[in-house]
């Protein structure tokens, strides 16, 4: 018999209508791999998007991706539609930098990446593989949500869409989970990003929402654009549901790969180590103004502390008064929690407390030591933040600090006042060490606020302006003497006063020596944290 043609039918007419089995499966596989690109390529190009398999090729090391369930919904009868290749999702295991990762990738050319019954089953099986083998999961999301026509098959059952989220929660803290959001993540599907450790959104294309703008208009009468409702920039700046923005698909995938380099593949392993690189600049005292009310950018401190070009910031546009992210210190991954006086004086708000708590839990889950750089006036006060629940949000951050059993170093850069000291892992929270730079101050509150709190009536009673100013200055000096840094060192409140140029090596040595510390916190099922 002659070799089959493209449709798997014998080319010389022998056995007319009978397909060679190998050719039949080759044709079905080829059809599945093409998705609906023949019809959808122009739309992808107009949106600046990559085809799903090109995304996977960028994510995974060449030749390492092994796909599962490629032939989902393959038409095996003439009356079946050929328009659901792979049921709109690609799943399998590849490698990133030689380490295995499970990959789920929606194919937006197949009914806008929507979920059918086979889609859900494929994703459930992928999460089961990740749980069994304890390998990270990368979610490449571009989906319009569930197909209403398939809702009975995909929504309510034991292996319905809910099982995906159940497994994501089981995976949380066991393996890293990263989401690159290239397009929509609609309705229930929006919870896939929400359960991930990092969500990178492509600006201009990505969106997340439980109800579309059209639904919002119908149900609650609100007229709003998609960008306002759930666009990438809104989520990265206002809601905090998105962590980092990307300019395009390639950038998002690059960020996902970079992020994973700081973390182990699973919770039971140590983070990877790399060759040490000198910092980008010297760490000198002139980085930070002596006047505590004067702002500065804490990124300048990080440039002198961490290996050059190693800082991967998370949520840079959300609650920027606090900076969090991963970096390398002499080749070893560390987590950074740093007040940034350049924004709102570094005061802690509800959003910055949430941002910190989430990051601290993340670093602790994967054994990454934490460095706290404190320059904080405390938590914000006033009726607005009280109504927003600043107390419970602050308690959430402090809970995360308490529960973190990785080695922690608390550095008092310029000041740590009030509960800000607690939130930044002060002496009571079992840091490896509390280190102060020579100009640091630790107190219940700043001197101006303290003098006013104690002597408000007396100050008001002094009519002469010069006399009043002299009295305030005298009381200020008394207060500052009471909380003098040398006294705090003498009474063992702090462990060391370190010069700027010695800070990097001092922290590195302390963390190296603490690498084997006991990670036990308490025996219980789990705490009941404030939320």
């Amino acid at each position: 018999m002659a070799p089959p043609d493209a449709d798997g039918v014998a080319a010389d007419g022998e056995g007319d209508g009978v397909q060679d089995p190998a050719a039949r499966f080759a044709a079905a596989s080829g059809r599945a791999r093409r998705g609906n690109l023949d019809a959808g390529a122009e739309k992808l190009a107009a949106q600046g998007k990559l085809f799903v398999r090109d995304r996977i090729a960028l994510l995974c090391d060449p030749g390492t991706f092994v796909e599962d369930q490629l032939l989902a919904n393959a038409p095996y009868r003439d009356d079946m539609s050929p328009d659901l290749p792979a049921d709109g999702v690609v799943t399998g295991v590849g490698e990133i930098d030689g380490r295995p990762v499970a990959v789920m990738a929606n194919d937006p050319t197949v009914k806008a990446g929507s979920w059918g019954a086979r889609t859900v089953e494929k994703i459930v099986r992928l999460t089961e593989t990740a749980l069994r083998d304890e390998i990270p999961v990368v979610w490449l999301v571009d989906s319009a949500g569930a197909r209403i026509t398939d809702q009975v098959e995909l929504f309510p059952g034991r292996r319905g869409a809910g099982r995906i989220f159940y497994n994501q929660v089981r995976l949380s803290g066991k393996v890293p989970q990263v989401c690159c959001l290239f397009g929509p993540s609609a309705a229930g599907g929006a919870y896939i990003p929400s359960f991930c450790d990092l969500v990178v959104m492509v600006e201009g294309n990505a969106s997340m929402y439980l109800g579309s703008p059209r639904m919002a208009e119908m149900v609650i009468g609100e007229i709003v654009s998609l960008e306002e409702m759930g666009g990438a920039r809104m989520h990265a700046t206002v809601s905090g549901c998105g962590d980092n923005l990307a300019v395009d698909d390639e950038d998002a995938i690059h960020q996902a790969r970079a992020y994973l380099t700081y973390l182990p593949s699973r919770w039971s392993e140590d983070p990877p180590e790399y060759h040490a690189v000198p910092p980008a600049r010297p760490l000198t005292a002139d980085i930070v103004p002596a006047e505590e009310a004067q702002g500065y950018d804490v990124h300048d401190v990080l440039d002198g502390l961490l290996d050059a070009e190693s800082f991967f910031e998370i949520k840079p546009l959300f609650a920027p008064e606090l900076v969090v992210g991963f970096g390398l210190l002499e080749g070893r991954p560390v987590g950074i929690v740093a007040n940034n006086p350049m924004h709102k004086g570094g005061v802690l708000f509800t959003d910055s407390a949430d941002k910190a708590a989430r990051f601290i839990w993340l670093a602790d889950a994967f054994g990454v030591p934490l460095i706290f750089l404190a320059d904080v006036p405390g938590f914000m006060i006033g009726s607005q933040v009280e109504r927003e629940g600043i107390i419970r949000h602050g308690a959430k951050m402090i809970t995360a600090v308490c529960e973190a059993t990785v080695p922690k170093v608390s550095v008092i850069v310029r000041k740590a006042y009030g509960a800000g000291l607690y939130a930044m892992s002060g002496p009571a929270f079992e840091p490896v060490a509390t280190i102060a730079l020579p100009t640091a101050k630790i107190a219940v509150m700043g001197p101006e606020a303290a003098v006013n709190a104690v002597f408000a009536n007396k100050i008001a009673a002094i009519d002469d302006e010069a006399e009043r100013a002299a009295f305030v200055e005298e009381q200020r000096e008394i207060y500052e003497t009471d909380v003098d840094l040398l006294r705090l060192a003498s009474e063992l409140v702090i462990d060391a006063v370190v010069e700027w140029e010695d800070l990097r090596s001092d922290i590195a040595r302390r963390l190296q020596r603490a690498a084997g510390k006991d990670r036990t916190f308490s025996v219980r099922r789990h705490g009941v944290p404030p939320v």
Side-chain angles (χ1 to χ4, degrees):
M1 179 181 290
D5 63 15
D7 295 320
V9 179
D12 61 1
E14 292 184 37
D16 285 344
V18 179
Q19 288 183 307
D20 174 79
R24 183 187 184 211
F25 283 106
S29 297
R31 175 70 186 90
R33 290 191 182 95
R34 287 198 309 275
N36 288 333
L37 187 60
D38 295 343
E42 187 174 332
K43 182 178 180 180
L44 287 182
Q47 294 175 320
K49 290 183 176 182
L50 297 173
F51 182 48
V52 60
R53 295 182 182 278
D54 294 329
R55 290 170 177 168
I56 294 173
L58 275 177
L59 177 72
C60 296
D61 299 345
T64 64
F65 184 69
V66 178
E67 186 170 352
D68 290 318
Q69 295 97 41
L70 169 66
L71 297 178
N73 265 347
Y76 54 87
R77 297 192 312 266
D78 291 342
D79 61 342
M80 295 178 67
S81 170
D83 294 332
L84 292 172
D87 209 19
V89 67
V90 181
T91 58
V93 175
E95 293 180 6
I96 295 178
D97 294 330
R99 297 192 294 170
V101 292
V103 180
M104 185 236 59
N106 300 120
D107 182 352
T109 71
V110 178
K111 289 191 177 294
S114 60
W115 293 6
R118 300 292 174 268
T119 318
V120 169
E121 177 63 22
K122 288 175 69 170
I123 300 172
V124 169
R125 292 190 186 190
L126 183 80
T127 56
E128 290 172 343
T129 296
L131 283 165
R132 182 192 67 218
D133 298 338
E134 292 194 349
I135 55 177
V137 185
V138 179
W139 304 82
L140 305 182
V141 176
D142 194 343
S143 171
R147 299 174 204 149
I148 300 300
T149 53
D150 292 2
Q151 64 174 312
V152 173
E153 291 81 7
L154 70 83
F155 174 68
R158 291 175 182 266
R159 293 185 70 80
R163 193 70 179 184
I164 299 170
F165 311 135
Y166 177 81
N167 285 348
Q168 277 194 277
V169 174
R170 293 174 68 199
L171 286 163
S172 179
K174 182 183 286 289
V175 299
Q177 296 188 79
V178 184
C179 174
C180 293
L181 190 48
F182 304 108
S185 184
Y191 287 107
I192 279 184
S194 70
F195 290 121
C196 289
D197 308 330
L198 179 76
V199 180
V200 182
M201 301 183 71
V202 177
E203 191 165 16
N205 281 336
S207 60
M208 276 189 285
Y209 50 86
L210 296 182
S212 67
R214 183 171 58 183
M215 183 179 295
E217 183 176 0
M218 290 176 59
V219 176
I220 63 174
E222 180 185 19
I223 299 176
V224 63
S225 70
L226 176 59
E227 190 62 32
E228 293 170 325
M229 170 75 81
R233 184 159 288 271
M234 187 284 288
H235 280 306
T237 59
V238 180
S239 77
C241 292
D243 294 310
N244 292 31
L245 292 178
V247 296
D248 54 24
D249 290 11
E250 292 96 330
D251 182 26
I253 291 168
H254 172 75
Q255 289 189 49
R257 286 181 60 100
Y259 170 81
L260 290 172
T261 63
Y262 297 91
L263 302 176
S265 293
R266 57 187 62 85
W267 68 278
S268 56
E269 294 180 349
D270 293 329
E273 295 185 10
Y274 304 94
H275 293 296
V277 175
R281 61 170 298 168
L283 197 56
T284 54
D286 59 3
I287 294 175
V288 176
E291 174 54 52
E292 66 178 51
Q294 187 175 344
Y296 65 92
D297 191 347
V298 77
H299 292 92
D300 294 335
V301 178
L302 295 177
D303 284 345
L305 180 66
L306 300 173
D307 294 12
E309 306 297 325
S310 73
F311 187 53
F312 185 99
E313 187 168 357
I314 296 174
K315 292 187 185 295
L317 302 179
F318 180 74
E321 65 274 12
L322 188 83
V323 172
V324 301
F326 293 113
L328 299 179
L329 182 64
E330 295 191 351
R332 293 183 175 88
V334 293
I336 297 293
V337 181
N339 307 116
N340 194 2
M342 183 177 180
H343 297 279
K344 301 179 182 178
V347 176
L348 291 167
F349 287 78
T350 54
D351 283 344
S352 40
D354 284 356
K355 175 179 175 178
R358 170 80 167 173
F359 178 75
I360 292 166
W361 279 320
L362 169 64
D364 187 61
F366 296 110
V368 180
L370 286 161
I371 299 172
F372 293 81
L373 299 177
D375 192 343
V376 58
F379 284 89
M380 189 60 184
I381 60 172
S383 61
Q384 180 177 341
V385 291
E386 294 294 357
R387 289 172 179 270
E388 292 171 352
I390 188 73
I391 295 172
R392 62 183 170 86
H393 287 274
K396 184 194 305 183
M397 179 178 178
I398 293 172
T399 296
V401 171
C402 293
E403 291 181 335
T405 58
V406 291
K408 299 173 288 190
V409 173
S410 181
V411 180
I412 314 303
V413 176
R414 191 168 60 173
K415 62 185 178 297
Y417 293 155
L421 175 66
Y422 300 163
M424 298 301 287
S425 194
F429 295 83
E430 293 201 355
V432 170
T434 301
I435 299 170
L437 292 162
T439 55
K441 298 177 182 179
I442 297 175
V444 171
M445 61 184 72
E448 290 85 359
V451 171
N452 186 67
V454 176
F455 298 105
N457 293 335
K458 188 168 184 178
I459 292 170
I462 301 174
D463 294 327
D464 183 78
E465 186 174 337
E467 182 183 350
R468 188 188 315 121
F471 176 79
V472 169
E473 182 60 28
E474 178 187 6
Q475 296 305 318
R476 175 189 172 115
E477 290 177 1
I478 293 172
Y479 182 82
E480 290 188 336
T481 300
D482 190 51
V483 294
D484 179 70
L485 183 61
L486 185 56
R487 177 186 176 184
L488 296 180
S490 174
E491 297 186 7
L492 309 186
V493 173
I494 58 174
D495 296 296
V497 179
V498 177
E499 296 293 336
W500 280 89
E501 57 268 23
D502 298 326
L503 184 63
R504 173 178 157 92
S505 60
D506 186 278
I507 295 174
R509 285 194 297 269
R510 292 179 187 277
L511 291 180
Q512 186 174 7
R513 290 169 186 165
K517 77 178 288 286
D518 179 28
R519 297 283 313 271
T520 303
F521 178 64
S522 68
V523 179
R524 56 182 180 173
R525 290 186 177 89
H526 55 76
V528 186
V531 296

